[in-house]
Amino acid sequence: MWKSAERDSLCCFISVVDSPPEPGSGPLSGLVFGVKDNIDVEGFTTTLGSLLGDPLPQAESAEVVRSVEDLGAVCLGKQNLGELATDAYTMNPHFGTTLNPWDTKRIVGGSSGGSAAAIAAGIVDFAFGSDSGGSVRIPASMCGIAAFRPSQSARWQKGLVGGAWSIDSIGLMGPTLSDLHWLVRQAHLLPLSSSGSSEPLRVGVVMDGSMGAVRSDVADVFDVAVRRLKEDPRLRIEKLRLGGLELGVLVAAVIAYVDLGAQHADTIRSQPQKYGAPARHIFRIGNLFSGTDYVTAGRMRQLIIDRYLEAASGFDLVVTPTLPVTAPVIGEDPVVPGDDSQLGLFSLIRFTALANLTGVPSASIPIGLSDDGLPVGLQVMGHRHRDMRMLAAAEIIEEAVGQHLLPPIYTG
């Protein structure tokens, strides 16, 4: 598993163990994992991908990280991220740009980009990232791996440093959703639930443009997956329109920017030189919003929650594309032909931010390659605090349409 040359060339890690780790003992013995460097791990510093992190090694690991360590899994190192987890590209001005294993001229997505790249390249077996608008699901989709973001809960936030507290959570990433479901069960990361009904799962598929435009070749891959889902007797597929949620990305942005701006209000004024230009810009924007703006965003969030819950109430799962595009070339913004919104970066969170605003569990599953030979992901959303049921149901989706994708750097 020790592939230092691949690690260095992709810029996946900020810090690593001094030598190849010895396997632990327990049911996860032999597995190595990485942790996004805004999550605490005993013995490692937590840099936050910035010049502002704690320079001292942490005394204890985040609770969910400790759970897998106690069962024998070994942390290989702390992984690169967008500075202070503020971008969806993982173009870090202090620790470098993480490169996509599928095409090193392209971004890896973010902000948990180092984690996704390391899994796709076969350097680690799984990884912990964080997700306040899609930050595990976006890079998972771009790298052809799976990711899971749980319902909002204290356990999955403990040990997560510096995030947008009201919408952020630790998430889990691995080659397939089946791998992640197995890991969650082994490590008891979530409460076990009773088995669901033997009736076919009712799946609402958003395929009418009600959440915005999708690039045509990405839509083609998604449509093929939906046709295959319709052929599975375990599933009952119905169209679902989620109209009225189009402003969700902007609501998520206001909430995240204000949360983050409040945390950095003093240091952005006293030590602006410690921030890279993109992060500095975001935090200054966050401090421009008024209390009225924040309260209004909170009210709009509740309206979005109510509308989503009403639309999804009759379904076991809701399915969307994870992203409207594949990984853009480094330095280029994501572009969806025919999209009049001109949201640029926010196009990447068009589908994913909904789970953060509503607090429902969600996952991304790789389903194939687009015309440019890059991975496409399918997003699955469940019901709040029914995470294990969602994982079991999403595994059926994966069995029906998921693909185990291997990038060129792995296959040679």
Side-chain angles (χ1 to χ4, degrees), residues 209-216 219 321 323-325 336-341 347 350-351:
S210 60
M211 289 185 68
V214 178
R215 202 177 73 198
S216 60
L323 297 175
V325 295
V336 182
D339 184 0
D340 296 327
S341 63
S347 291
R350 174 178 296 151
F351 299 107

Side-chain angles (χ1 to χ4, degrees), residues 2-46:
W2 185 255
K3 300 184 178 182
S4 59
E6 290 178 3
R7 182 199 74 224
D8 293 338
S9 65
L10 293 175
C11 199
C12 296
F13 287 85
I14 289 177
S15 60
V16 295
V17 292
D18 294 332
S19 60
E22 293 294 328
S25 60
L28 303 185
S29 177
L31 297 182
V32 297
F33 66 97
V35 179
K36 185 178 181 179
D37 206 4
N38 63 340
I39 301 169
D40 287 340
V41 179
E42 181 181 352
F44 288 89
T45 59
T46 303

Side-chain angles (χ1 to χ4, degrees), residues 5 49 89-90 131 212 232 236 276 331 348:
Y89 295 167
T90 313
D131 190 315
D232 195 306
R236 191 172 75 201
L348 294 182

Side-chain angles (χ1 to χ4, degrees), residues 178 228 232 234 365 392 394-402:
S178 175
R228 292 176 60 191
D232 195 306
R234 298 171 295 178
I365 299 166
E395 194 169 349
I396 293 174
I397 299 285
E398 182 178 67
E399 290 172 4
V401 299

Side-chain angles (χ1 to χ4, degrees), residues 62 64 149 152-161 164-170:
V64 290
R149 182 198 184 275
Q152 207 86 8
S153 71
R155 185 182 190 196
W156 286 84
Q157 287 183 310
K158 188 176 181 180
L160 173 60
V161 184
W165 68 271
S166 60
I167 55 176
D168 210 357
S169 175
I170 294 174

Side-chain angles (χ1 to χ4, degrees), residues 41-383:
V41 179
E42 181 181 352
F44 288 89
T45 59
T46 303
T47 71
L48 307 176
S50 77
L51 303 181
L52 297 166
D54 189 341
L56 299 176
Q58 296 301 306
E60 64 177 356
S61 298
E63 183 175 341
V64 290
V65 174
R66 186 172 65 250
S67 294
V68 300
E69 291 177 319
D70 289 345
L71 296 180
V74 176
C75 181
L76 184 60
K78 302 299 290 296
Q79 295 172 316
N80 200 9
L81 65 154
E83 182 182 11
L84 295 159
T86 56
D87 81 354
Y89 295 167
T90 313
M91 297 174 63
N92 191 300
H94 310 295
F95 298 99
T97 295
T98 300
L99 307 180
N100 194 314
W102 285 86
D103 179 352
T104 55
K105 297 183 181 65
R106 295 179 181 270
I107 68 167
V108 71
S111 59
S112 307
S115 304
I119 293 166
I123 302 169
V124 296
D125 296 299
F126 66 93
F128 290 97
S130 67
D131 190 315
S132 60
S135 288
V136 297
R137 290 160 288 155
I138 290 169
S141 182
M142 289 190 182
C143 291
I145 65 168
F148 165 63
R149 182 198 184 275
S151 300
Q152 207 86 8
S153 71
R155 185 182 190 196
W156 286 84
Q157 287 183 310
K158 188 176 181 180
L160 173 60
V161 184
W165 68 271
S166 60
I167 55 176
D168 210 357
S169 175
I170 294 174
L172 195 57
M173 309 166 77
T176 70
L177 193 72
S178 175
D179 295 325
L180 300 182
H181 191 193
W182 175 85
L183 184 65
V184 167
R185 294 196 308 269
Q186 289 292 316
H188 302 289
L189 296 178
L190 290 164
L192 297 179
S193 62
S194 59
S195 58
S197 170
S198 59
E199 295 294 317
L201 295 171
R202 190 179 176 201
V203 180
V205 177
V206 179
M207 52 192 304
D208 61 0
S210 60
M211 289 185 68
V214 178
R215 202 177 73 198
S216 60
D217 60 332
V218 174
D220 289 344
V221 176
F222 181 72
D223 290 343
V224 169
V226 171
R227 287 199 295 270
R228 292 176 60 191
L229 291 177
K230 290 179 178 179
E231 297 170 355
D232 195 306
R234 298 171 295 178
L235 307 170
R236 191 172 75 201
I237 306 301
E238 301 178 35
K239 290 184 179 181
L240 173 63
R241 180 174 178 81
L242 293 179
L245 306 183
E246 295 84 356
L247 293 178
V249 291
L250 299 181
V251 172
V254 171
I255 292 171
Y257 283 14
V258 174
D259 281 358
L260 292 167
Q263 293 181 51
H264 293 269
D266 293 334
T267 51
I268 198 71
R269 287 192 291 265
S270 62
Q271 303 178 70
Q273 73 281 1
K274 289 196 172 184
Y275 296 85
R280 188 164 58 243
H281 180 63
I282 285 173
F283 297 140
R284 283 175 171 166
I285 289 176
N287 287 319
L288 292 176
F289 288 109
S290 67
T292 300
D293 295 329
Y294 191 67
V295 170
T296 299
R299 288 176 175 171
M300 292 185 68
R301 178 185 185 181
Q302 187 59 54
L303 179 62
I304 288 170
I305 291 171
D306 293 343
R307 286 183 175 177
Y308 175 78
L309 292 180
E310 180 181 3
S313 61
F315 296 94
D316 297 292
L317 299 173
V318 172
V319 167
T320 74
T322 305
L323 297 175
V325 295
T326 55
V329 172
I330 293 171
E332 296 182 1
D333 282 333
V335 175
V336 182
D339 184 0
D340 296 327
S341 63
Q342 301 297 316
L343 288 176
L345 171 63
F346 293 125
S347 291
L348 294 182
I349 66 171
R350 174 178 296 151
F351 299 107
T352 57
L354 183 57
N356 300 83
L357 290 174
T358 59
V360 302
S362 58
S364 181
I365 299 166
I367 56 172
L369 303 179
S370 65
D371 288 351
D372 52 14
L374 297 172
V376 173
L378 177 146
Q379 177 178 236
V380 181
M381 293 184 286
H383 291 282

